Amino acid sequence: MAALNVPTRMSLKPDRTWSTDRLASSQSLGELIAFDYRPKRRNGRKQVLTVRSVRITQQSSSGDSPTSPDGPVGPVGLNLDYEIQADDDYHVGQGRAFASGRRKTKIVCTIGPSTSSREMIWKLAETGMNVARLNMSHGDHTSHQKTIDLVKEYNSQFKDKVIAIMLDTKGPEVRSGDVPKPILLTEGQEFSFTIKRGVCTKDTVSVNYDDFVNDVEAGDIVLVDGGMMSLAVKSKTKDVVKCVVVDGGELKSRRHLNVRGKSATLPSITEKDWEDIKFGVDNGVDFYAVSFVKTAAVVHELKDYLKGCNADIHVLVKIESADSIPNLHSIISASDGAMIARGDLGAELPIEEVPLLQEDIIRRCHSMQKPSIVATNMLESMIDHPTPTRAEVSDIAIAVREGTDAIMLSGETAHGKYPLKAVKVMHTVALRTESSLPISTIPPIQMSAYKRHMGEMFAFHSTTMANSLNTPIIVFTRTGSMAILLSHYRPCSTIFAFTNEERLKQRLVLYQGVLPIYMQFSNDSEETYSRAVQLLVAKGHLKEGGYVTLVQSGAQSIWRKESSHHIQVRKVESNLNR
């Protein structure tokens, strides 16, 4: 028999049912299951409580309580039945949740000339890539089509491995014109930008944006390449902006221009972007990362377009514009997640604000149960060097500790010399940082007993149980709602999310701690569970004799005839005839 060690401050009472009033007033699973434990000794050993499985079941009431895809909305405590079933011995604290060495923070890799071959995409995936990013600022539809086809080929070969595809729009970028050779800018030199096309002299170059003159004023700071060079605006005419160089350098062709504290008055989605979005619809990409989103209206416009196309693609907003900051809440609320694009954000705002905004955006996304991605310059030095700077390593660790769902590589994997080493460094640093985070039996987000809906309460208690018993979590889902809720509470171990929807499998891979697996569900829940466990054991994700926390929850039943919720702790066995 297996034992569950119960702290002496808890007690187990013989009754297995609780009144509605008692449940409604309870604040945690520990209060719901009131233990009455008096330590006794048998043969010199402390007596322990034996448990076969812990099942928490909620059946829908006959009333007219409103429901959501995750369960009934409103106060909990309606006709809830809890039962504890005895089983083989299980001891709390059998090893750490991180013993499997499975990283929970996801890695986004930009695909480019260094990594566009079949061999490299396979190697990136095996090294740690979870999402392949297509940067529409570079390449053409032909090259991106090749990448999409290769990623889909990789996905077709595995049930427990998946790479999602993210299409990142170019957006309304302001760039300088072409120059035959780099122009050397020195401090104090006068230099001008003109809206006339094709101009290139030693002291004047054209820009691709007709309203550039209207957007700047004397005293503004123009940043080149995200701040690699800077110029102060002295004056302007109807078609020329006259500047003086503050920080010099070599000005090359088509360099990105920002005005600190200001955003260009261009639409967030350009004509080129719409062409690229249609390309994404035709190829069934999983995510759009929309550049320079300033208001929620942009997100609504794109979502309406996708709805009209019957396209199931999620919209991530890139926070990189000064104008987006006052509208953060509405923008993130309208979206399906956010990317913190620190390059342009640090160019348009004082750089000391960027770390604070990063933490704030991660927190906002987490509170809304939406994924966040920290991007730009994470391992910039590894574009040319085989090892990162110590500051870059700390940057990754800070993002992980702040709770981001994903971290991203740009030039490091697109055109860098050491793309696989960069992914390996990111994987290793993230994994080590995760292993140092405190393992608590209480989820990090403290919430009252009054949950927004029943599914959220069960995600909370499932995480508490999995953390207490040090078990991975298995969840079966058709909508992804419970897997996302579980990710929100950040359990210490992996969330194995089984789904019979291929599109959902692709999407869930972005969420922290979720390992999505495609599997057809049968009409028999036990047979489906048995196949799931056998797959996990065969792939090395679970070990025979270990334990898992099984979660079933939601108003949209998979096997249940009515809305019900279950949390069970089960032993991993080859043949489950329960």
Side-chain angles (χ1 to χ4, degrees), residues 292-460:
F292 296 100
V293 175
K294 303 173 189 176
T295 66
V298 175
V299 183
H300 293 309
E301 181 184 13
L302 177 53
K303 286 197 167 187
D304 287 343
Y305 171 82
L306 295 175
K307 185 177 180 180
C309 297
N310 196 29
D312 183 20
I313 302 173
H314 274 202
V315 177
L316 309 178
V317 290
K318 294 175 67 177
I319 306 300
E320 54 188 338
S321 167
D323 290 346
S324 68
I325 304 307
N327 304 316
L328 270 181
H329 182 79
S330 61
I331 290 172
I332 296 174
S333 296
S335 74
D336 299 303
M339 179 189 295
I340 306 148
R342 302 177 301 178
D344 285 296
L345 194 60
E348 295 198 3
L349 293 172
I351 56 174
E352 63 269 20
E353 298 295 329
V354 175
L356 303 178
L357 284 168
Q358 172 177 310
E359 184 176 11
D360 181 43
I361 294 166
I362 292 172
R363 178 183 56 80
R364 288 175 186 266
C365 287
H366 190 206
S367 69
M368 298 182 198
Q369 299 168 13
K370 298 181 179 183
S372 59
I373 305 170
V374 175
T376 320
N377 304 131
M378 299 213 81
L379 289 173
E380 187 82 2
S381 69
M382 291 194 73
I383 292 176
D384 296 307
H385 303 284
T387 56
T389 67
R390 306 310 178 257
E392 289 169 336
V393 171
S394 295
D395 187 31
I396 295 171
I398 289 169
V400 172
R401 294 184 72 86
E402 288 176 345
T404 186
D405 288 84
I407 43 186
M408 193 176 97
L409 295 168
S410 299
E412 300 94 331
T413 53
H415 58 83
K417 297 178 181 178
Y418 307 97
L420 295 177
K421 287 187 176 181
V423 177
K424 182 64 175 178
V425 166
M426 188 164 269
H427 165 81
T428 303
V429 174
L431 183 63
R432 179 64 184 91
T433 303
E434 290 168 359
S435 72
S436 72
L437 298 176
I439 299 178
S440 172
T441 57
I442 300 297
I445 302 298
Q446 302 296 324
M447 300 187 71
S448 67
Y450 186 95
K451 303 296 178 185
R452 283 177 288 180
H453 46 65
M454 184 61 69
E456 186 167 327
M457 189 197 81
F458 272 78
F460 178 92

